Amino acid sequence: MQAPPKRKPTWLFITLGVVVVVAMVAAGVWFLRDNTTTTTAGPTTSAVNSPEAVEARLPTLPGTPSTNNGTLTVEQGIDLKLYSREEGQLFKDNGANQVIFRGSSQGPQGYLVLVIPASSPTAAASITRGLYEHSLTAGLQTVPSGSTDAKAVTGSNSAGQMSGTWYTSGSYAVAIWVSQGLDGDPNSLTERLAQTKTSLATALPPN
């Protein structure tokens, strides 16, 4: 008896479909942190690596930013369908209670970045490994990424093409997705994924 085909989780394609089109998910509670206070003392290492400081350093993604950009609780990210409830539990199991979200769209091209502050570098690696494994379960295919700590994946659905990759930076897990229409050049998708990772590496250098 032939096994039934894998059912691709709808959350992944809802999220990336949202990125493909200009209209981003508008529901949910979000906030942006304003770090404008001044001090005569130099910043400590912990302050430089705090979620607030990391969020302030993140580069601006191309196109129109999502109205939900900012620091979210893990539950808010689930409500916005940025990741599945199972993945939200993965974050929590590794010490994360919030995520930094960046999303944007430029015509048919979309960008989605998640930065997850874990409890340790080991926990961050556990998150990136889990996200990669979940993407394979969703039916995406592995492609060379040039990364030493995680692989890249690619695939498509009726909303368009998508590619994603992950890496760790200290105790932070970083997830990057780019998307485009079905008629887009796959090589362009690969280039945009690499460019986005390079821009993030300034704020969050890979381990």
Side-chain angles (χ1 to χ4, degrees):
M1 180 177 179
Q2 186 177 9
K6 293 181 180 178
R7 182 177 182 272
K8 298 180 179 180
T10 58
W11 68 265
L12 175 63
F13 300 124
I14 289 174
T15 298
L16 293 174
V18 164
V19 175
V20 168
V21 298
V22 173
M24 305 294 286
V25 176
V29 180
W30 59 278
F31 61 92
L32 292 172
R33 298 185 182 274
D34 182 11
N35 301 297
T36 58
T37 57
T38 59
T39 178
T40 56
T44 63
T45 300
S46 59
V48 170
N49 291 325
S50 69
E52 293 86 352
V54 168
E55 180 182 347
R57 294 200 306 269
L58 291 181
T60 300
L61 297 174
T64 304
S66 167
T67 57
N68 295 300
N69 283 351
T71 299
L72 311 169
T73 67
V74 170
E75 289 298 325
Q76 287 168 349
I78 294 171
D79 291 341
L80 288 171
K81 296 183 173 62
L82 301 179
Y83 41 82
S84 67
R85 185 163 296 278
E86 179 184 9
E87 292 188 327
Q89 189 60 51
L90 171 69
F91 300 165
K92 292 179 181 179
D93 289 345
N94 286 281
N97 55 26
Q98 59 185 5
V99 299
I100 303 169
F101 166 60
R102 286 288 185 273
S104 70
S105 58
Q106 189 174 42
Q109 297 181 345
Y111 298 82
L112 186 154
V113 171
L114 293 175
V115 180
I116 307 106
S119 59
S120 68
T122 299
S126 179
I127 289 175
T128 59
R129 183 169 57 253
L131 292 176
Y132 167 67
E133 291 172 351
H134 291 171
S135 72
L136 296 183
T137 301
L140 301 182
Q141 302 297 315
T142 299
V143 295
S145 70
S147 174
T148 59
D149 62 346
K151 296 180 180 179
V153 297
T154 192
S156 65
N157 73 332
S158 59
Q161 305 172 61
M162 61 209 74
S163 290
T165 192
W166 308 263
Y167 73 92
T168 58
S169 178
S171 295
Y172 287 89
V174 182
I176 307 167
W177 287 96
V178 296
S179 57
Q180 64 184 17
L182 289 171
D183 58 348
D185 181 358
N187 291 327
S188 175
L189 199 66
T190 301
E191 292 172 1
R192 287 172 47 227
L193 184 64
Q195 290 168 355
T196 304
K197 182 175 179 180
T198 297
S199 70
L200 284 166
T202 301
L204 289 165
N207 288 343

